[in-house]
C-alpha cells in the first residue's frame, strides 16, 4: 500500500503537476540573477511554470481526447442517444459531453444539430451543460493542481448538474421555445461520413491539437497572467476577506464575476490555483470556474440565436442555482477534500 501511495504521489506531483519543472525554472531564474522570492521573480516563475505545464498537458490531452472523439461524430452520437429513453438518455448525453469540444461556444453548434435532428430537448441540454463544464482534460488538469479527490468530485458534480438540468427542462416541455428554423431543420446531422483509418484519426487528432491550441492559448496566457498577479501581488488577507469563509456571499460573488468572462477550463485553472493558495474557499473557486465555462456571456449570446428568451432564462437559472449549491457544498466539505 505504501508503494502504491508513493507511486500515486509521484504521478500527481511530478508527472501531472510537473513540480520538477517548477524547480528547474526556479534554478534557471536564480542563475540569471533573479530573486524568485521577490514579487517580480515569483510572478515570472509562476507564469513560466504554469504556461509550460498547461501547454504540455493541453496538447497531450487534446490529442488523446480528439482521437477518442473521432469515434463519436455527430451522426453516431445521435444514434447512440436515440437508443436511450428517460434519465438514461440524459446520463449518456452528459457523458458524451466529456469527449466533445472544450468550450461552450464550440458546443452550441452541436447542440443545435442534435436538436434539429429531433433528439429530446432535455437530452440536448444535458449535453450542452456537460460539454464545456466537464471533460477528460479538466479531470487531468484538476488532478495536477487540486488532487484526485477534488478532480473526481468536480467531474461527478458537473455531470449531476448536467443530468438534473436537462431532466428538469424536459419535464417543463419547452420545445416550443426553440427557434423555428432549428425545429424545422431536417437531417443535416444524419449525413454519414466515410470510415476513418487509424492514420486518419491520428491526422484528425493532430489537426485538432493545432486548431484548439491556437484558439485556447491566448486565454491560457491571460489566465496565467491573472494568476501570477493574484499569487504574488494581492494580499492574502484581502482574498480571504472577499472569497474566504468570512464572506458568506463569496460563492454568489464568484459566479457573478465569472459570467461576463469568456474562457475555458484551461484558462481558469491557473486563476483557481492562485486563489486557493491565497486562502479562497474551494467551493467558491470551483463555482467561479463552472460559471466561466458554462455561462460565459459570449456563449449566451450565441445560444440566444437558437432558443427563445424564456428557455434561455430557464437554462441560465438552472445552471446558476446548481453551481451556487455546488459551491456551498464544496465549501462545507473542503476539509475532506484538501
Amino acid at each position: 500500500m505504501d508503494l502504491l501511495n508513493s507511486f500515486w504521489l509521484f504521478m500527481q506531483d511530478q508527472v501531472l503537476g510537473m513540480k520538477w519543472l517548477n524547480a528547474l525554472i526556479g534554478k534557471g531564474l536564480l542563475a540569471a540573477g533573479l530573486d524568485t522570492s521577490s514579487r517580480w521573480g515569483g510572478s515570472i516563475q509562476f507564469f513560466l511554470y504554469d504556461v509550460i505545464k498547461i501547454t504540455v498537458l493541453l496538447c497531450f490531452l487534446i490529442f488523446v481526447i480528439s482521437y477518442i472523439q473521432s469515434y463519436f461524430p455527430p451522426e453516431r452520437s445521435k444514434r447512440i442517444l436515440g437508443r436511450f429513453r428517460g434519465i438514461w438518455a440524459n446520463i449518456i448525453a452528459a457523458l458524451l459531453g466529456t469527449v466533445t469540444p472544450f468550450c461552450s461556444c464550440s458546443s452550441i453548434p452541436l447542440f443545435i444539430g442534435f436538436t434539429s435532428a429531433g433528439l429530446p430537448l432535455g437530452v440536448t441540454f444535458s449535453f450542452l451543460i456537460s460539454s464545456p463544464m466537464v471533460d477528460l482534460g479538466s479531470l487531468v488538469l484538476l488532478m495536477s493542481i487540486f488532487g484526485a479527490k477534488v478532480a473526481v468530485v468536480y467531474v461527478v458534480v458537473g455531470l449531476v448538474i448536467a443530468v438534473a438540468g436537462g431532466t428538469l427542462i424536459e419535464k417543463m416541455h419547452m420545445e416550443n421555445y426553440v427557434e423555428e428554423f432549428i425545429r424545422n431543420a431536417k437531417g443535416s446531422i444524419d449525413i454519414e461520413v466515410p470510415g476513418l483509418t487509424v492514420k486518419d484519426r491520428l491526422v484528425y487528432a493532430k489537426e485538432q491539437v493545432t486548431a484548439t491550441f491556437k484558439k485556447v492559448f491566448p486565454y491560457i496566457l491571460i489566465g496565467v497572467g491573472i494568476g501570477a498577479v493574484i499569487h504574488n501581488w494581492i494580499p492574502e488577507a484581502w482574498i480571504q476577506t472577499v472569497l474566504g469563509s468570512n464572506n458568506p456571499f463569496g460563492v454568489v460573488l464568484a459566479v457573478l464575476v465569472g459570467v461576463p468572462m469568456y474562457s475555458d477550463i484551461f484558462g481558469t485553472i491557473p486563476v483557481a490555483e492562485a486563489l486557493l493558495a491565497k486562502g479562497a474557499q474551494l467551493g467558491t473557486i470551483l463555482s467561479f470556474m463552472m460559471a466561466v465555462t458554462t455561462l460565459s456571456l459570449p456563449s449566451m449570446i450565441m445560444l440566444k440565436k437558437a432558443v427563445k428568451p424564456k428557455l434561455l432564462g430557464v437554462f441560465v437559472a438552472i445552471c446558476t442555482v446548481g453551481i451556487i449549491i455546488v459551491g456551498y457544498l464544496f465549501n462545507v466539505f473542503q476539509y475532506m477534500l484538501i
Side-chain angles (χ1 to χ4, degrees), residues 38-225:
S38 67
R39 284 184 173 180
W40 279 108
S43 297
I44 293 173
Q45 182 177 6
F46 182 97
F47 185 84
L48 293 175
Y49 165 60
D50 263 35
V51 167
I52 296 172
K53 178 184 72 173
I54 293 176
T55 298
V56 171
L57 288 175
L58 171 68
C59 292
F60 174 76
L61 290 169
I62 292 175
F63 187 88
V64 173
I65 294 169
S66 297
Y67 187 87
I68 296 172
Q69 187 183 334
S70 68
Y71 288 94
F72 297 94
E75 72 284 345
R76 184 175 184 184
S77 299
K78 186 237 175 180
R79 288 198 299 269
I80 292 172
L81 292 174
R83 297 172 187 169
F84 297 88
R85 295 292 182 271
I87 195 171
W88 285 107
N90 295 90
I91 292 172
I92 298 302
L95 290 173
L96 279 175
T98 65
V99 291
T100 47
F102 299 99
C103 69
S104 51
C105 287
S106 301
S107 305
I108 289 172
L110 280 176
F111 160 79
I112 293 174
F114 288 146
T115 306
S116 300
L119 290 174
L121 186 63
V123 173
T124 59
F125 267 99
S126 286
F127 169 84
L128 181 63
I129 296 170
S130 168
S131 183
M133 185 185 293
V134 183
D135 59 57
L136 299 177
S138 67
L139 174 63
V140 175
L141 280 175
L142 285 167
M143 286 175 63
S144 73
I145 293 174
F146 298 113
K149 287 183 181 179
V150 173
V152 171
V153 173
Y154 174 89
V155 170
V156 170
V157 167
L159 291 173
V160 169
I161 292 176
V163 172
T167 301
L168 183 57
I169 288 174
E170 186 71 25
K171 297 294 183 184
M172 296 176 72
H173 301 291
M174 303 191 72
E175 288 78 11
N176 290 333
Y177 292 95
V178 176
E179 291 293 348
E180 190 172 348
F181 78 91
I182 293 176
R183 284 185 282 137
N184 294 336
K186 300 293 181 184
S188 59
I189 201 170
D190 291 317
I191 298 174
E192 293 289 343
V193 295
L196 298 177
T197 65
V198 172
K199 182 179 179 181
D200 292 333
R201 297 185 194 281
L202 291 173
V203 170
Y204 169 77
K206 181 182 176 182
E207 291 174 347
Q208 288 296 104
V209 170
T210 303
T212 306
F213 176 76
K214 288 179 179 178
K215 181 173 65 175
V216 169
F217 190 63
Y219 299 109
I220 293 176
L221 294 178
I222 294 170
V224 175

Side-chain angles (χ1 to χ4, degrees), residues 29 84 104 132 191 193 211 213 225 257 266 279 290 301 312 330:
L29 292 175
F84 297 88
S104 51
I191 298 174
V193 295
F213 176 76
V257 170
F266 305 108
M290 287 181 169
I301 293 172
L312 180 64
F330 266 93

Side-chain angles (χ1 to χ4, degrees), residues 30 116 121 142 151 164 239 241 280 293 296:
L30 287 172
S116 300
L121 186 63
L142 285 167
I239 296 291
T241 299
T293 55
S296 68

Side-chain angles (χ1 to χ4, degrees), residues 39 229-247 274-281:
R39 284 184 173 180
V229 171
I230 294 172
H231 195 272
N232 294 280
W233 294 86
I234 297 181
E236 185 172 326
W238 189 86
I239 296 291
Q240 290 179 348
T241 299
V242 177
L243 299 178
S245 58
N246 294 330
N247 184 4
L275 288 172
L276 186 67
K278 285 290 186 175
Q281 288 190 290

